Amino acid sequence: MNQQDFRFNELKNELYEDRIYVSEKWTANFGKLSQYADFEAYNSCIREAFNMVDYVMGNTLYRFRTKTTPLEVVTLKGKGKNGRELKGYIYQGIDEVINYSEAYNFFGKAMLLRKLGFPIPEGLEQVRELRNFTIHNTMTIVGKVSDQLLSYEQVIETLRILGETLHVLGLLRKQDILPEYETMRVKPGDVIGRSKEYRVDSFVAEGGMSRVYSGMHTRLDRRVAIKEMKPYTYSPEQIRNEKQFLVQLEHPEIPQIYDIFDQNGTYYIVMDYIDGVGLGRYVEEKDPDMEERLAISIQICRVLRYIHQDCGMIYADLKPDNIMIDQSGRVFIIDFGISQLAGSNVEADAYSWFYSSPEQMHGYAMDQRTDIYSMGSLLQFLFYYNGEDGVIHCTDQLGDYREEMENLCNICKQQDPNDRFQAISEVEVHLRRIMKEMKEQPKQKKKRRRLYISLSIVGILLLTALGILYYFNGVYPPGDIYMMGKETIESTPRGVRICFSLINRGDDIRVNDVLPWNMLLEIKTKDGSIYHVVVPLKLEEGLESGEILEDQVYIVPWEEIVYDGKQVISDASEVERIGGGVDRKDPNDLE
């Protein structure tokens, strides 16, 4: 051993005589452990705890031997490993002769400390096999006994015994033997993660189930949000499902998930940091107009549609606190802490009562209609006010659409899921139509348009639901395809780019199927010529019956822009203006 190694080992021994150092190191090591941790984390945690106790016991024996004068030194039978005679030490008040050579291993040190009068816990011998297991951790041993020896409960009991050993040796407070979650929670400046790649910068917010911090992904040099879940909020099975679900989320209005890991007795989710405010604060501070509130609602429906249709999941926690608006006005849904497969259930105290459906509050199985109920509550938050009669009414700023919005919310919030809208796309279609009509009608000449439904005292809610669904079928009758919103057309180097949205109320459509729509183009070239061209519209992705296809982009190459059988445009540089739209017209009907 060279001098540098000797000084390093000596320094470690000195550090393990410092109570503050030992306490902090013990708590940090304990942070590796959680009910969600894997075998490697358990093994590492126990091995480190054994090493700490080994150092402290060795230091305690060294300190006693160098600072306590024996009454007598005697020669013992036999020889030591170095061939020298064995010495025994007799101390006042100690009945046995102390042979320090017995402290050649971990359990020898424990036995000798008991002879010196230290109340070392008897349970220390009970974990001898686990000590050997962590030292001789071969794949053969792991395969045979890891499940039996390294359960969460077994590891906790082992750490309790080791922690009590540190306590009786004066290096650990009793309350720190099994540290509480609040002791281990992260603080600004901490670096966490499997590879210590996430730096915690500042506290952001706290809810009933988690705390959120801003931080940095040091490897990617990217700002992130670090969500620290409060322990025992979820079962290990839910955590496994959560990991599988969250890592597959890919949507522009859902923060990207970078990592999910367990540490400090709980688990953390690291995701994109959204530089914005919650919906509640945004509404309070900005007081957005009705069109912006509708736009926010439509974006929320769009994300829910992705979660329902593409992921086969339910969000299950829709409320203003979980909706963020960034500096550009973009809407994000955050906090997927209790999202799950449809048909499962979660404890009722995980929810917010106003936004939670009856089946949530009673702990029953849920499906996508649960989110539809919450969407109705969110619409009430955005468009309602408390009337003088004590009844919640829709705001007058909606004008002709006030009563329709009230009926829309009533259907979303039916107690029986069968009486609600059955898909979030149905809610989205209504909101899009209201948005479109509000934009198209001049404010000073808005045509009054109300939905009158005959109500009876018996079955009032059911008739309301049927009335709205009937109106929906009137706007978009089954059996056909309908364009939604306004199409955009522009010139690009590749050709004419058209962006459109549609709802399929007919049969399934395959990729590249020709739609019953044509694209009507009016192209003016820089030499003053004007061409009217009709191009059949196709889909570049499939569309099932009942689905909404939003912002579909279809590019018609310049070589396909033909007038009177001839290609009239060779590239975008020849185009001065381009316009048009889509319609159900046949080319033969054009003049």
Side-chain angles (χ1 to χ4, degrees):
M1 179 183 298
N2 60 39
Q3 185 66 20
Q4 184 178 359
D5 291 335
F6 176 78
R7 287 298 305 160
F8 175 74
N9 290 333
E10 186 180 69
L11 180 61
K12 287 187 77 172
N13 287 333
E14 291 174 358
L15 287 173
Y16 279 97
E17 290 186 307
D18 185 334
R19 183 173 180 175
I20 295 178
Y21 174 81
V22 171
S23 179
E24 291 179 348
K25 191 172 182 63
W26 177 263
T27 301
N29 181 59
F30 199 90
K32 301 175 186 175
L33 181 64
S34 78
Q35 58 179 330
Y36 319 112
D38 57 15
F39 164 77
E40 290 300 330
Y42 288 165
N43 190 32
S44 172
C45 185
I46 290 178
R47 189 166 55 246
E48 180 65 25
F50 267 112
N51 289 339
M52 291 177 64
V53 175
D54 198 7
Y55 273 117
V56 170
M57 289 194 303
N59 286 349
T60 304
L61 287 171
Y62 176 80
R63 191 166 54 247
F64 182 90
R65 182 177 182 178
T66 56
K67 294 184 178 181
T68 306
T69 303
L71 296 177
E72 183 180 354
V73 179
V74 297
T75 301
L76 302 176
K77 293 181 179 180
K79 300 287 186 180
K81 289 186 176 181
N82 56 8
R84 296 178 181 177
E85 292 183 339
L86 294 177
K87 299 293 184 180
Y89 298 83
I90 300 174
Y91 295 96
Q92 184 175 1
I94 297 175
D95 296 333
E96 299 188 53
V97 177
I98 303 301
N99 176 8
Y100 286 105
S101 66
E102 293 177 343
Y104 66 90
N105 63 13
F106 181 90
F107 295 101
K109 294 172 187 173
M111 179 187 66
L112 201 56
L113 285 169
R114 286 198 189 97
K115 290 182 180 181
L116 293 174
F118 290 92
I120 303 298
E122 294 297 330
L124 202 60
E125 272 69 22
Q126 298 173 10
V127 296
R128 178 191 296 268
E129 186 177 1
L130 191 56
R131 160 69 171 176
N132 294 335
F133 171 64
T134 59
I135 294 175
H136 307 292
N137 180 13
T138 66
M139 292 304 295
T140 302
I141 294 177
V142 171
K144 290 181 178 179
V145 298
S146 63
D147 291 339
Q148 291 77 19
L149 289 180
L150 290 183
S151 68
Y152 176 71
E153 292 74 17
Q154 178 70 40
V155 175
I156 284 290
E157 176 61 17
T158 301
L159 292 181
R160 183 190 65 78
I161 294 172
L162 293 172
E164 286 184 359
T165 303
L166 293 176
H167 172 62
V168 300
L169 295 178
L171 271 296
L172 192 66
R173 298 181 305 173
K174 193 172 186 62
Q175 60 266 35
D176 292 334
I177 294 174
L178 297 178
E180 296 291 336
Y181 165 67
E182 288 301 317
T183 303
M184 296 187 295
R185 61 176 290 190
V186 296
K187 304 176 293 298
D190 287 352
V191 180
I192 60 176
R194 295 182 182 89
S195 302
K196 301 295 183 183
E197 64 266 50
Y198 307 112
R199 186 186 71 232
V200 180
D201 289 339
S202 62
F203 172 77
V204 176
E206 180 174 359
M209 303 169 71
S210 63
R211 296 186 179 99
V212 179
Y213 300 82
S214 67
M216 286 293 295
H217 192 310
T218 55
R219 181 166 51 83
L220 299 180
D221 193 25
R222 180 173 297 176
R223 194 177 183 193
V224 294
I226 302 171
K227 181 178 177 182
E228 180 184 62
M229 304 305 299
K230 296 183 179 178
Y232 309 109
T233 307
Y234 308 105
S235 68
E237 181 181 359
Q238 286 175 303
I239 297 302
R240 287 191 292 270
N241 292 339
E242 186 76 4
K243 288 182 179 180
Q244 185 177 4
F245 168 56
L246 288 178
V247 296
Q248 70 181 5
L249 289 176
E250 291 185 8
H251 192 279
E253 283 145 2
I254 297 176
Q256 179 183 348
I257 304 297
Y258 294 105
D259 199 0
I260 303 172
F261 59 91
D262 55 87
Q263 197 168 318
N264 296 336
T266 183
Y267 82 105
Y268 295 82
I269 303 175
V270 182
M271 66 193 80
D272 274 329
Y273 183 86
I274 307 301
D275 187 11
V277 297
L279 180 60
R281 180 178 167 188
Y282 184 83
V283 169
E284 181 180 354
E285 295 180 353
K286 303 293 186 180
D287 190 22
D289 60 24
M290 291 300 102
E291 289 188 1
E292 185 176 356
R293 293 177 189 236
L294 281 167
I296 291 172
S297 304
I298 291 169
Q299 289 185 71
I300 294 169
C301 286
R302 182 170 61 187
V303 181
L304 291 177
R305 178 157 47 84
Y306 163 77
I307 295 170
H308 293 174
Q309 295 180 359
D310 293 11
C311 302
M313 304 289 291
I314 52 177
Y315 178 64
D317 199 20
L318 190 65
K319 56 186 178 182
D321 289 346
N322 288 342
I323 298 167
M324 295 286 290
I325 314 292
D326 71 6
Q327 300 299 321
S328 65
R330 190 173 173 188
V331 178
F332 292 85
I333 290 185
I334 63 172
D335 199 349
F336 284 76
I338 56 178
S339 304
Q340 58 204 270
L341 289 167
S344 56
N345 52 18
V346 172
E347 296 297 327
D349 59 5
Y351 300 108
S352 304
W353 70 268
F354 179 71
Y355 295 93
S356 300
S357 67
E359 58 268 27
Q360 283 177 286
M361 298 305 293
H362 291 91
Y364 298 149
M366 299 177 290
D367 58 28
Q368 296 169 356
R369 296 170 295 184
T370 297
D371 286 337
I372 292 174
Y373 182 98
S374 301
M375 188 67 203
S377 298
L378 198 65
L379 292 174
Q380 286 182 323
F381 166 77
L382 285 169
F383 298 106
Y384 275 55
Y385 69 90
N386 291 314
E388 295 180 358
D389 56 1
V391 179
I392 299 180
H393 297 285
C394 193
T395 175
D396 287 330
Q397 295 181 27
L398 275 171
D400 296 335
Y401 302 97
R402 169 181 166 177
E403 186 174 341
E404 183 174 350
M405 185 65 76
E406 290 178 351
N407 289 329
L408 183 65
C409 293
N410 283 335
I411 296 177
C412 289
K413 297 194 66 171
Q414 292 295 295
Q415 294 291 303
D416 187 342
N418 293 320
D419 294 335
R420 302 173 198 157
F421 290 112
Q422 300 301 291
I424 195 67
S425 59
E426 298 178 55
V427 181
E428 183 179 355
V429 165
H430 280 290
L431 295 172
R432 286 185 178 279
R433 183 187 50 74
I434 294 173
M435 177 84 161
K436 180 180 179 181
E437 293 182 3
M438 289 184 70
K439 284 185 174 181
E440 290 180 349
Q441 293 179 4
K443 293 185 178 181
Q444 67 275 20
K445 296 182 179 180
K446 280 191 176 179
K447 181 181 179 181
R448 294 184 59 82
R449 187 167 183 173
R450 295 177 178 268
L451 177 64
Y452 293 100
I453 302 175
S454 299
L455 300 176
S456 62
I457 296 177
V458 179
I460 181 172
L461 294 177
L462 178 60
L463 287 177
T464 302
L466 291 175
I468 290 292
L469 291 174
Y470 175 80
Y471 187 82
F472 173 73
N473 287 332
V475 177
Y476 301 110
D480 216 334
I481 302 170
Y482 303 92
M483 287 291 172
M484 301 168 55
K486 186 172 180 61
E487 304 79 34
T488 59
I489 299 174
E490 61 182 355
S491 173
T492 73
R494 290 176 53 197
V496 177
R497 179 184 184 274
I498 179 169
C499 182
F500 61 91
S501 301
L502 55 81
I503 177 172
N504 182 15
R505 297 273 285 164
D507 298 329
D508 293 349
I509 304 174
R510 299 185 304 273
V511 177
N512 290 327
D513 277 358
V514 177
L515 296 175
W517 296 81
N518 294 315
M519 182 167 60
L520 312 179
L521 300 178
E522 181 181 270
I523 305 175
K524 182 179 180 180
T525 61
K526 292 184 177 179
D527 63 7
S529 301
I530 297 178
Y531 301 95
H532 292 90
V533 182
V534 179
V535 179
L537 198 59
K538 298 179 182 179
L539 278 184
E540 294 185 342
E541 60 181 277
L543 185 63
E544 295 180 1
S545 178
E547 282 193 325
I548 294 175
L549 185 64
E550 188 172 13
D551 296 335
Q552 169 69 16
V553 175
Y554 179 56
I555 295 181
V556 184
W558 290 116
E559 57 267 23
E560 295 183 15
I561 307 298
V562 177
Y563 183 79
D564 286 342
K566 297 181 180 180
Q567 181 179 343
V568 296
I569 304 293
S570 59
D571 59 58
S573 63
E574 300 178 18
V575 177
E576 178 179 311
R577 185 186 72 244
I578 187 168
V582 295
D583 204 348
R584 287 179 175 273
K585 292 184 179 180
D586 189 277
N588 297 326
D589 294 335
L590 298 176
E591 296 181 358

